[in-house]
Amino acid sequence: MQVRGISQPKPGSRRAAGAVPRGRGQSVGSAGGYCWATSCRNARGLRRGAQVSCRKRCGPGTGCRRRLAANREERMQTGFIGLGAVGAKLAGNLLRNGVGLTVFDLDETRLAGMVAAGAEAAASAAEVMTRCDVVITSLPSPAASEAVLAEMLTEMGPGKTWVEMSTTDPAVIVAQAARVAETGAVAIEAPVSGGCHRAATGNISVFCGAPRDSFEAILPLLTILGRQVLHTGEVGTASRLKVMTNYLATANLLTLCEALATMQAAGLDMATTYEAIRISSGNSFVHETESQLILSGSRDVDFALDLVMKDIGLFQALADEHGVPLELSPLVISMIRDGQQRMGDRAQSDRMIERLEHAAGLSVRAPGFPEVLVDEEPPARGAEVVVRR
């Protein structure tokens, strides 16, 4: 699969030495003295929104340099609301990449932690919207999203953009976007996928539902938040795809629990079993992450069963809406509901293995596996995923 969004510098070039390309309308560094903005007159004949280099040196007093200086002065103020398991990591990644943030969360401890990292605190969601041009939300449920939007709505207007990164109900986000549009502001959905450990490094994937021009305007910010950014279409499409991927991940987790428990009962070495799955057609992202936490015994993937139930319930509702008679999905829902009853709504999702351990009198563990997931892929600026047509 090809990706686009950030072209790579040639070794030894001035750009490789320090100039960092940005998206259309963003400020850039001055290292090397070259203009990397698409507004430069020398970037002729290229598709609108492409990120290119100016082939001509932009010296003092040129139009390019004046525009760049103006861009630096007019940088959009960014806000972030919702500093939970994923939100705090996304916000922290923005801070580490030099994006100034105004933040808010109902939990004062979370808020204080982000302020200590360099953010400015606001007293309410409404205040964040008042102070910022772009406000990102990462919230635990459609109800929480609606409550925050209701507070921000009176402060919205032309020039304001709301980026909803929560996993939410597709129908709800479409209705919310229409209400935002009535104020003259823009609503964009951008749910993420890939786990909390990748949110912290900016290597997570981002699905973005928005009109193409709105997507291109926010792309430079999204490529800081995520490694692979997919424009899915209009608002509502990203949420549909996100609940689908979470359904697939949940079904995969449940089959892995059954596979690991069965191999343990059959006397197989569990470290060998892990590698057998990893190098085979049975491998998956879920195996390479959650199976390790199952085997180490930590079982803390930072994603609770109540959130799992929300997502798979949204997927089932989408299938019901369109008359698709799913067979596995109802069973997945039943199994997760049983896990909630046994272990509690806030139990971590990888503890689903314990249902089988208790039933079969097993302990599915192996030495040498990590207690905490660490993203070993080096952080890098993201890019847009190009859909094959």
Side-chain angles (χ1 to χ4, degrees):
M1 179 174 290
Q2 295 177 310
V3 295
R4 68 182 174 196
I6 301 297
S7 58
Q8 298 301 310
K10 294 181 180 179
S13 68
R14 291 181 183 270
R15 180 179 164 196
V20 179
R22 303 280 179 170
R24 184 161 48 95
Q26 297 294 336
S27 61
V28 302
S30 59
Y34 280 82
C35 166
W36 301 100
T38 56
S39 58
C40 180
R41 294 177 184 175
N42 296 286
R44 294 191 298 266
L46 293 175
R47 180 180 53 79
R48 175 171 166 263
Q51 293 173 323
V52 299
S53 63
C54 170
R55 300 299 181 188
K56 180 179 178 181
R57 181 79 175 221
C58 298
T62 65
C64 285
R65 189 168 294 279
R66 285 195 298 270
R67 280 192 292 272
L68 296 180
N71 283 339
R72 281 193 290 270
E73 293 170 359
E74 298 171 5
R75 291 179 66 183
M76 292 186 294
Q77 299 297 309
T78 305
F80 205 106
I81 300 170
L83 305 174
V86 175
K89 294 176 177 63
L90 293 171
N93 190 51
L94 289 173
L95 286 172
R96 284 189 296 275
N97 281 275
V99 177
L101 285 184
T102 299
V103 298
F104 175 71
D105 193 281
L106 293 174
D107 188 319
E108 293 185 1
T109 302
R110 293 174 179 171
L111 191 61
M114 200 56 60
V115 170
E120 295 183 12
S124 66
E127 183 182 342
V128 177
M129 182 57 73
T130 300
R131 291 165 58 179
C132 298
D133 305 296
V134 176
V135 176
I136 301 168
T137 53
S138 179
L139 302 162
S141 67
S145 175
E146 177 59 30
V148 169
L149 175 62
E151 189 175 339
M152 295 191 301
L153 207 56
T154 57
E155 308 303 316
M156 289 184 176
K160 301 281 189 178
T161 300
W162 173 41
V163 182
E164 170 62 296
M165 301 195 80
S166 317
T167 301
T168 190
D169 187 322
V172 169
I173 189 63
V174 170
Q176 290 174 329
R179 289 157 58 200
V180 170
E182 290 174 357
T183 72
V186 174
I188 293 171
E189 58 167 348
V192 297
S193 182
C196 289
H197 62 303
R198 288 192 172 182
T201 59
N203 289 330
I204 205 162
S205 297
V206 182
F207 298 161
C208 184
R212 182 69 201 185
D213 58 347
S214 298
F215 168 74
E216 290 181 354
I218 205 69
L219 182 59
L221 192 61
L222 296 182
T223 56
I224 295 174
L225 289 161
R227 175 66 69 89
Q228 297 185 94
V229 182
L230 177 65
H231 182 224
T232 60
E234 296 298 315
V235 172
T237 56
S239 292
R240 290 181 176 91
L241 289 168
K242 176 58 194 298
V243 298
M244 174 202 71
T245 62
N246 279 14
Y247 165 71
L248 290 171
T250 303
N252 191 190
L253 172 63
L254 296 177
T255 59
L256 282 166
C257 288
E258 293 190 347
L260 293 173
T262 300
M263 293 302 98
Q264 177 72 63
L268 274 294
D269 177 77
M270 296 314 296
T272 303
T273 298
Y274 174 86
E275 295 299 339
I277 298 172
R278 187 186 65 81
I279 66 173
S280 72
S281 58
N283 192 35
S284 65
F285 174 82
V286 176
H287 174 62
E288 292 189 357
T289 54
E290 296 200 52
S291 288
Q292 295 199 66
L293 299 180
I294 287 172
L295 293 173
S296 72
S298 77
R299 298 170 185 180
D300 187 2
V301 73
D302 215 358
F303 198 67
L305 289 176
D306 60 343
L307 297 178
V308 174
M309 182 59 78
K310 176 200 70 173
D311 294 348
I312 61 178
L314 289 171
F315 177 73
Q316 179 65 54
L318 186 62
D320 291 342
E321 177 187 350
H322 294 281
V324 182
L326 302 182
E327 297 177 80
L328 289 178
S329 176
L331 179 58
V332 168
I333 290 172
S334 175
M335 293 170 72
I336 295 296
R337 184 174 291 119
D338 179 68
Q340 288 179 292
Q341 293 171 350
R342 292 170 183 264
M343 296 174 285
D345 287 346
R346 297 300 298 162
Q348 293 297 303
S349 59
D350 36 11
R351 288 188 60 194
M352 288 296 290
I353 188 70
E354 294 174 15
R355 297 168 62 250
L356 294 171
E357 287 181 320
H358 295 157
L362 300 171
S363 177
V364 182
R365 302 193 184 206
F369 287 90
E371 297 282 325
V372 177
L373 291 177
V374 176
D375 184 11
E376 296 179 350
E377 186 176 7
R381 189 67 180 260
E384 181 186 358
V385 175
V386 179
V387 177
R388 287 178 287 183
R389 301 293 186 188

